[in-house]
Amino acid sequence: MYELKTKENDRSVVEFIENVENPTKREDAYKLLDIFTETTGYQAKMWGPSIIGFGSYHYKYPTGHEGDAPLVGFSPRKAKISLYFATGDTQREELLENFGKHTTGKACVYINNLADVDVAVLKKLIEQSVRFLQDTYPNNNTN
């Protein structure tokens, strides 16, 4: 049976951020920590070795695969900062049109630094993602 690698754990979020080598990324990580915390109302938790997540939900796919994941999150990686939002949310694309300099993957939005994006749009992306997941997976939200 498949075992999820990215699980919530008790590692220190601040300690993780302090170990980010690039000083600009470390500063951006602290700013993102504040933005995500204020916007979601959830306390930051480490998920796996490198994702800072906020809130959580339990999902179950038609295939039977199920697990827990953060509602939203971010990771200050070496190359870019990864922002984690809900997959399948059609409103995400509309919001990203006015977000600023970024690239996208299936669930991630990648930015070089916080100065490249509109923080007001970031807050809307966070709010929309949380709302979308809570509507999609009602009664499965924790934290």
Side-chain angles (χ1 to χ4, degrees), residues 11-131:
R11 288 188 53 224
S12 167
V13 171
V14 171
E15 192 175 300
F16 171 71
I17 293 173
E18 281 299 313
N19 286 311
V20 172
E21 288 181 26
N22 181 308
T24 304
K25 276 206 175 58
R26 186 169 48 247
E27 187 178 318
D28 280 352
Y30 278 117
K31 289 176 184 173
L32 286 166
L33 179 62
D34 288 343
I35 291 166
F36 274 79
T37 300
E38 289 171 20
T39 306
T40 65
Y42 292 109
Q43 181 182 356
K45 301 275 189 169
M46 289 302 301
W47 285 76
S50 60
I51 295 173
I52 300 169
F54 300 82
S56 67
Y57 69 100
H58 185 81
Y59 61 86
K60 186 170 184 175
Y61 297 137
T63 60
H65 176 79
E66 64 182 298
D68 296 302
L71 290 167
V72 289
F74 70 92
S75 183
R77 303 202 185 268
K78 280 192 193 233
K80 294 184 183 266
I81 297 171
S82 300
L83 306 173
Y84 298 95
F85 302 115
T87 56
D89 181 4
T90 55
Q91 289 186 8
R92 181 176 97 160
E93 296 308 313
E94 291 174 35
L95 289 168
L96 286 174
E97 289 174 16
N98 300 310
F99 186 46
K101 187 177 174 184
H102 72 279
T103 56
T104 59
K106 186 174 180 182
C108 295
V109 175
Y110 304 100
I111 62 172
N112 289 322
N113 55 61
L114 203 49
D116 288 344
V117 300
D118 185 329
V119 172
V121 175
L122 172 59
K123 290 178 180 180
K124 288 179 185 174
L125 282 161
I126 294 167
E127 290 167 349
Q128 175 55 33
S129 186
V130 169
R131 192 168 35 251

